[in-house]
Amino acid sequence: MATVPPSSAERHPLRLFLRQLELHSKLGAEAKDAVLALPFHTVAVEAGNYILREDDTPVACAVLVDGFAYRQKETVTGKRQIVSLHNPGEALDLQQLALVTADHSLRMLTDGEVAYIDHKHLQRLMTAHSDLAEAIFRATLIEASIFREWVLNVGRRDARTRIAHLLCEFAMRLDRSGLTRPEGYLLPMSQEQLADTTGLTTVHINRILKVLAAEGLIVRKVRGIAFESWTRLKEIGGFDGRYLHIDHQTPRARERGARESA
């Protein structure tokens, strides 16, 4: 099991997990200390590798320490649909605390690191700290809220709106977690992965990204994305961040708005 000296508290592998919980919930000092005291072990996982496979019966929760990950489902013919994206600090499979068999697969989008916490330790903690149990329950409800928005995105929005909405969501979530950079943010997805996320073809994805760039809405540098007009991009995507259940005027969003109105 990993041990972290007090002087390394800010580098604790579960620190980002705790911060993610605190985005939506207020935790007492005892609960926060208990989270950081949880036994865990970390594993380096390469891009494309599985964290969890459909039909697995996991005994530990996976927390993303570094890198990005995604959930996927496959049809009987092997076609993939990416059903969620995950940032550092997010617990990837909290539902397995109550469900025995995994009904989807989890894979790394980039190289990264995962911390595993045995279910028994997390369940014991939730029993001892009601505020932590509530925070984990709320986190799973917010995941469900995001799933509902993704169903709407794939089912009813046109291609241009669909891509704009996804870019807005990803930026908002990174913003709130403090993971953006001054020049924008890294979009860690290939065009094939964007296609599997939005139900479009790679050709269509390439065309839409070029259109958004030509319209002056985004600036692309390899996989880097910056927004020339955050307000217009939100309008095109029909983006309303209420379903994320966070303050959708994040600091960087306010900065963008101030620049645009100047």
Side-chain angles (χ1 to χ4, degrees):
M1 295 298 177
T3 56
V4 181
S7 60
S8 301
E10 284 304 312
R11 298 191 299 275
H12 193 296
L14 299 185
R15 175 66 66 181
L16 278 177
F17 172 50
L18 181 57
R19 288 177 181 170
Q20 284 290 335
L21 292 176
E22 290 186 291
L23 290 180
H24 311 287
S25 303
K26 185 175 181 179
L27 295 175
E30 289 186 3
K32 290 191 280 189
D33 289 343
V35 169
L36 297 179
L38 277 166
F40 66 91
H41 70 278
T42 57
V43 177
V45 189
E46 294 181 355
N49 284 2
Y50 284 85
I51 302 166
L52 177 74
R53 289 181 182 270
E54 191 168 351
D55 294 328
D56 280 354
T57 54
V59 296
C61 278
V63 174
L64 194 58
V65 176
D66 185 44
F68 296 88
Y70 62 91
R71 288 176 175 156
Q72 72 172 45
K73 294 282 290 184
E74 289 187 3
T75 68
V76 292
T77 59
K79 292 183 178 180
R80 176 179 67 174
Q81 179 69 41
I82 292 176
V83 297
S84 67
L85 299 175
H86 296 279
N87 305 333
E90 294 183 358
L92 304 177
D93 54 353
L94 288 174
Q95 73 282 343
Q96 298 306 143
L97 287 168
L99 303 175
V100 175
T101 305
D103 55 34
H104 63 279
S105 297
L106 280 164
R107 299 177 71 178
M108 289 299 295
L109 188 59
T110 64
D111 291 345
E113 186 178 18
V114 175
Y116 290 94
I117 307 169
D118 284 357
H119 287 170
K120 61 184 179 183
H121 296 307
L122 199 49
Q123 288 165 338
R124 192 176 298 133
L125 214 62
M126 291 167 64
T127 300
H129 300 278
S130 60
D131 50 350
L132 179 60
E134 182 179 339
I136 288 175
F137 180 52
R138 183 173 289 113
T140 59
L141 291 178
I142 291 170
E143 283 188 358
S145 177
I146 295 172
F147 282 145
R148 289 190 288 273
E149 191 70 25
W150 277 43
V151 171
L152 176 63
N153 204 38
V154 173
R156 290 300 179 186
R157 292 186 176 117
D158 61 44
R160 179 167 169 265
T161 304
R162 205 177 299 182
I163 295 297
H165 192 279
L166 180 64
L167 293 177
C168 287
E169 179 187 307
F170 198 61
M172 184 69 68
R173 289 168 65 183
L174 289 178
D175 249 10
R176 193 63 178 87
S177 300
L179 297 172
T180 47
R181 301 175 298 181
E183 67 273 19
Y185 70 94
L186 178 69
L187 181 64
M189 304 182 75
S190 67
Q191 291 189 12
E192 179 183 359
Q193 290 162 338
L194 282 171
D196 287 345
T197 300
T198 56
L200 302 169
T201 65
T202 54
V203 172
H204 208 161
I205 292 291
N206 185 52
R207 184 182 304 126
I208 294 299
L209 290 175
K210 286 181 177 178
V211 167
L212 293 176
E215 292 175 337
L217 296 170
I218 64 172
V219 175
R220 299 167 63 198
K221 293 181 179 179
V222 191
R223 289 191 183 180
I225 295 281
F227 300 117
E228 290 295 282
S229 177
W230 172 246
T231 301
R232 284 182 60 210
L233 190 67
K234 285 199 302 180
E235 290 173 353
I236 288 170
F239 182 78
D240 183 338
R242 285 181 297 178
Y243 71 96
L244 297 173
H245 298 278
I246 55 179
D247 173 14
H248 43 123
Q249 267 295 95
T250 61
R252 283 182 58 78
R254 282 194 289 269
E255 289 171 13
R256 282 189 292 259
R259 286 198 301 269
E260 290 168 14
S261 60

